[in-house]
Amino acid sequence: MRELSLHILDIAENGITAGADCIQILINENRKEDLLTIAITDNGRGMPAEKLKNPTDPFITSRTTRRVGMGLSLLAAAAQRCDGRLAIETEAGRGTRVTATFRYSHIDRAPVGDMAATITTLIMGNPRIDFVYRHIIDAEEFMLDTRDLKEGPEDNSLADPVILHHLTQSIRNSLNRLALKDG
């Protein structure tokens, strides 16, 4: 994948497929330490036992919509290619946490990509799921929690295209400000 945001989208969708009602996404760009960390945590069912034996095997998947699961294997390969690694923590009935690390300055590291579009795509496609998105760039932080944006449990305001457009722009502007602070 050309952008890491597409990996994030795929892993978040895995959590939703696993029954999660809350997905947490953390991106920590620590340029001083030359480290990029991406963590996606869900509160779904956790990974099935057969997948846990080799979680990055693309030919073992719990999805019923396709016979291969490329998301974890592609993210693992992307991290390893950039002097990083992929770690998976899972507990049956409690969820999964996927953490990928990369050497930030590695020439082969894909750009983080359009996280504003990724987050709003997740929100738009999954209005009943809560998303917590934290993006840290050199200790400066942006955070979005959709629970703070909803007025009540049946609030549909995040399905409104105008609100989603403004949310996308707001995320982009906030991330641009963070990137410029110590860049």
Side-chain angles (χ1 to χ4, degrees):
M1 291 186 204
R2 293 177 190 229
E3 296 181 352
L4 296 173
S5 61
L6 299 175
H7 288 287
I8 294 166
L9 180 66
D10 187 56
I11 303 303
E13 287 288 345
N14 288 346
I16 294 165
T17 301
D21 63 7
C22 184
I23 306 287
Q24 298 178 38
I25 298 168
L26 167 67
I27 298 175
N28 188 348
E29 298 183 53
N30 190 331
R31 297 180 288 197
K32 293 173 183 149
E33 300 285 328
D34 199 24
L35 181 65
L36 170 64
T37 303
I38 297 171
I40 302 108
T41 306
D42 70 63
N43 65 350
R45 290 186 294 276
M47 291 178 123
E50 68 272 6
K51 181 74 176 165
L52 277 176
K53 292 176 188 167
N54 189 2
T56 60
D57 184 340
F59 300 105
I60 299 174
T61 183
S62 58
R63 285 190 174 185
T64 57
T65 56
R66 62 181 190 226
R67 298 175 70 152
V68 294
M70 300 296 287
L72 289 173
S73 61
L74 290 174
L75 183 57
Q80 290 166 358
R81 190 171 47 248
C82 299
D83 299 331
R85 62 186 289 266
L86 182 77
I88 301 168
E89 303 165 52
T90 188
E91 187 175 339
R94 298 186 60 90
T96 301
R97 179 179 177 92
V98 175
T99 304
T101 58
F102 303 81
R103 183 162 49 96
Y104 189 88
S105 65
H106 198 286
I107 193 168
D108 291 328
R109 182 183 63 79
V112 171
D114 191 351
M115 282 306 301
T118 295
I119 297 300
T120 53
T121 296
L122 285 166
I123 292 168
M124 181 175 48
N126 305 281
R128 290 191 164 85
I129 307 293
D130 292 317
F131 294 94
V132 179
Y133 169 51
R134 287 181 58 214
H135 199 131
I136 303 165
I137 300 177
D138 297 330
E140 296 289 331
E141 181 175 345
F142 169 78
M143 184 168 166
L144 171 74
D145 187 334
T146 59
R147 295 172 292 197
D148 295 338
L149 303 176
K150 297 177 183 176
E151 293 179 13
E154 296 300 319
D155 182 17
N156 291 324
S157 63
L158 291 178
D160 183 328
V162 173
I163 290 175
L164 284 170
H165 172 75
H166 288 293
L167 183 59
T168 303
Q169 291 308 111
S170 176
I171 295 169
R172 278 192 186 120
N173 292 339
S174 295
L175 295 178
N176 285 337
R177 278 193 297 276
L178 286 184
L180 294 174
K181 279 198 175 182
D182 286 326

